[in-house]
Amino acid sequence: MTDTYRTVAGRGQARFEVRGSEFIGHVAPATDRESAESFVDSVRAEYADATHNVPAYRVRTDPLREYESDDGEPSGSAGKPALNVLQQRDVENVVAVVTRYYGGTNLGVGGLARAYSRAVKEGVDDAGVVTERPHERLSITTEYDDSGTVRSVIESEGVAFEADYGETVAFDVRVPVAEAEALRERLRSATSGRVDIE
């Protein structure tokens, strides 16, 4: 799972009506199953009065985990069409929930599938799609004597980091997975091994 992948740039939302029923598509980034479930729960709580809150997500665990539910709609009319959009758009680490307020007219399985697909499509469009590289976090601790060296190595890599100057100096670094090992080696070499990396 070290290759690049497509995901949503942020949160997105779409809202429209089909024959009296209101559909609201909510889309958000999710790095794992827990964050996806937590987004689903927050939408369900916010729209607790809705007739349905249909979830679908794809997260990059090993292997890729996909989930969908019809949430009371006829089987195959809601969750699967929602998940299909995420698959067709080839986006991962993304969660979608489509909220439906029933408007009194049955849409049939085909009508529901089109509406749920559209809600996710438009939600993804609103969020925007970006190409992302998998990152990992490195926790780097060093004594003050080596902190300047460590900081300049990290800065030369152009990666995001935070530094905490306490009894020792701790750097929290977010680095692309493909570059993490090279960074570890550079840090060990620059400090003659006097650096703790987790």
Side-chain angles (χ1 to χ4, degrees):
M1 289 272 185
T2 56
D3 49 339
T4 59
Y5 62 97
R6 287 157 48 86
T7 189
V8 289
R11 292 195 170 196
Q13 193 176 78
R15 188 183 288 255
F16 56 88
E17 270 192 35
V18 179
R19 292 167 65 190
S21 279
E22 184 182 10
F23 290 87
I24 309 164
H26 316 269
V27 172
T31 49
D32 51 31
R33 193 172 67 82
E34 289 71 26
S35 55
E37 296 281 358
S38 148
F39 180 75
V40 172
D41 290 344
S42 70
V43 172
R44 281 192 169 137
E46 189 178 343
Y47 295 88
D49 60 336
T51 320
H52 306 279
N53 281 298
V54 169
Y57 59 77
R58 301 181 82 212
V59 290
R60 288 171 64 88
T61 48
D62 216 354
L64 178 71
R65 179 168 167 80
E66 297 182 322
Y67 172 81
E68 50 83 11
S69 160
D70 291 315
D71 191 44
E73 289 283 30
S75 179
S77 69
K80 201 157 258 352
L83 180 60
N84 281 346
V85 172
L86 302 180
Q87 292 166 335
Q88 286 161 2
R89 287 293 178 88
D90 192 28
V91 287
E92 300 173 12
N93 279 9
V94 60
V95 55
V97 182
V98 181
T99 299
R100 179 188 182 197
Y101 288 94
Y102 182 62
T105 304
N106 287 339
L107 303 180
V109 172
L112 288 171
R114 283 190 295 278
Y116 280 101
S117 297
R118 177 182 164 193
V120 176
K121 265 188 198 125
E122 292 182 7
V124 169
D125 288 346
D126 186 50
V129 174
V130 292
T131 299
E132 182 67 86
R133 289 194 294 171
H135 283 72
E136 68 177 277
R137 287 206 174 276
L138 298 182
S139 188
I140 301 162
T141 313
T142 185
E143 298 297 328
Y144 275 86
D145 292 354
D146 290 314
S147 65
T149 305
V150 168
R151 188 179 186 112
S152 66
V153 168
I154 294 169
E155 284 175 345
S156 73
E157 292 287 325
V159 293
F161 73 94
E162 288 176 15
D164 179 31
Y165 292 84
E167 280 182 35
T168 56
V169 184
F171 296 93
D172 182 32
V173 182
R174 185 173 182 268
V175 61
V177 170
E179 296 165 23
E181 196 48 47
L183 177 59
R184 285 187 185 96
E185 289 306 314
R186 281 192 63 197
L187 288 166
R188 288 189 189 108
S189 165
T191 60
S192 304
R194 293 184 307 273
V195 63
D196 186 31
I197 306 172
E198 285 179 30

